[in-house]
Structure formats: structure tokens, C-alpha cells
Amino acid sequence: LVMGVHRGMKIVDPLDIIQEFGRAGRPGFDTEGDAYLLVPQSKALHFKTLVETEPTIKSQMLDVEVLAFHLITDIEKKEVRTLEDIQHWYERSFAKFQGESLKPNLVDEVVRRLEQIGAIKVVDGAYECQAIGKIAAWFYQSPFDVAQWKGNFERIFRRTKNPDEMDMEIGRASCRE
């Protein structure tokens, strides 16, 4: 049962829904299973079409945000601790299988941005997750979104006793001047 199509404020990619459907049934007992997607009736046909259409799959791993999203979990699990570990980690990726090379400048940018937002820090030459990175990894969220939420909460509770949505930054642009 997949309840809804949102992860936070974002709509879940249809491929993620299809992947969740692929887990239906009991491994070792069933050869098939039933999967249900709960959405408003008005959107049922739209999502039925999305999940029944076979998409061409192309890795998005070389996007800064996507790479950071996936990398932070393995840094948190201490499976990735150095630049060399990132290279070995990438060798097992779908992007590498599709022939995409991981450029050193991309890795440098991702690491720099993760350090900049406080998701990781380098201790004795090894990456270590900080609170923002841990929360992102544990809750399967973008570390950049988690850092923005942290900033929003800090700002809200500094400004007002009764915050509302106008006190938040949405989409990395302030709603209130």
C-alpha cells in the first residue's frame, strides 16, 4: 500500500512509486503481489497512466543535489569516509553502469556544499556526518532541504511567538522582505 504521492512538499517520482510496487508480496513465498496507490479520485487516472508507462531510465546521479542526497547516507553509515571511498562507491552505481564518469570537480562541489551547510565535516581526513546530515540520512531527505528547514525554524523562533507560513523561506527565496 502506497499512501499518497508526496514526500514533504514534493511529488514522488513515478519511478519511486513503481519501485515500491515492486516490493509487493512476501519474498520467498509469493511470485507476485498486489500494490495499491491511494490518491484522490480526481488524480487516479493520471497516476495510473504514470505508473503503467514504461519510462526510459537515465541516472540522475551526476546532479549535485542527487549525488549529495545519496552520498550523505553512506557517509552517515561510515561506509564512505574519503574522496577515494566516494570513487569506489560510485563504481557500483547505475550511473557508472550507464557509462557516466564521476568528475573530480563535481565531487569537490558536493563535498564543499555539504560542509558549507553543516551536513558533514572533515575530521582527521575523514568525512563525518553532523546533525543536518544525520537527519537527512535517517529520514531520506535532501541535506540541502534539511539545512533550509533548520534555518527556517531558527528564524521563525527568533522572530515571533506565533509563526505562520510567511515566516518561512520556500524554495530558497524569502516570502517576506
Side-chain angles (χ1 to χ4, degrees):
L1 178 64
V2 178
M3 297 187 57
V5 293
H6 288 86
R7 184 176 296 135
M9 300 209 25
K10 297 176 185 171
I11 291 184
V12 175
D13 187 282
L15 286 174
D16 288 343
I17 295 170
I18 292 167
Q19 183 180 26
E20 290 179 37
F21 281 0
R23 296 184 177 142
R26 298 172 301 165
F29 296 100
D30 298 327
T31 57
E32 59 185 55
D34 295 318
Y36 299 91
L37 176 63
L38 298 182
V39 294
Q41 183 67 37
S42 62
K43 301 197 183 261
L45 185 58
H46 170 72
F47 281 99
K48 182 178 188 304
T49 303
L50 282 179
V51 299
E52 288 179 345
T53 304
E54 266 194 56
T56 302
I57 300 173
K58 171 116 174 72
S59 174
Q60 302 299 305
M61 187 68 79
L62 297 180
D63 175 83
V64 170
E65 295 212 12
V66 174
L67 184 58
F69 174 82
H70 290 286
L71 195 55
I72 198 72
T73 299
D74 285 328
I75 291 173
E76 196 281 325
K77 292 189 299 187
K78 298 184 180 359
E79 292 177 9
V80 170
R81 301 191 43 86
T82 65
L83 286 173
E84 185 178 309
D85 290 345
I86 292 173
Q87 292 295 331
H88 292 299
W89 172 85
Y90 184 79
E91 292 295 317
R92 301 184 321 264
S93 74
F94 184 56
K96 179 66 177 178
F97 176 79
Q98 288 184 321
E100 300 288 336
S101 297
L102 182 61
K103 308 279 189 282
N105 61 336
L106 176 62
V107 174
D108 292 343
E109 181 180 353
V110 168
V111 169
R112 179 187 57 76
R113 287 187 59 193
L114 288 172
E115 286 179 298
Q116 184 179 24
I117 64 169
I120 64 170
K121 71 177 182 177
V122 178
V123 177
D124 297 327
Y127 305 127
E128 287 189 5
C129 261
Q130 302 303 293
I132 289 171
K134 289 178 182 183
I135 290 168
W138 296 345
F139 293 100
Y140 200 62
Q141 297 292 326
S142 160
F144 304 115
D145 288 349
V146 173
Q148 183 180 357
W149 298 339
K150 178 181 182 273
N152 281 340
F153 284 123
E154 289 171 344
R155 210 170 7 271
I156 287 169
F157 293 116
R158 259 195 324 266
R159 285 188 192 165
T160 181
K161 291 181 183 174
N162 298 310
D164 64 24
E165 64 274 2
M166 295 305 290
D167 291 307
M168 294 184 283
E169 287 186 18
I170 299 174
R172 295 177 180 80
S174 179
C175 292
R176 190 181 272 175
E177 299 293 328

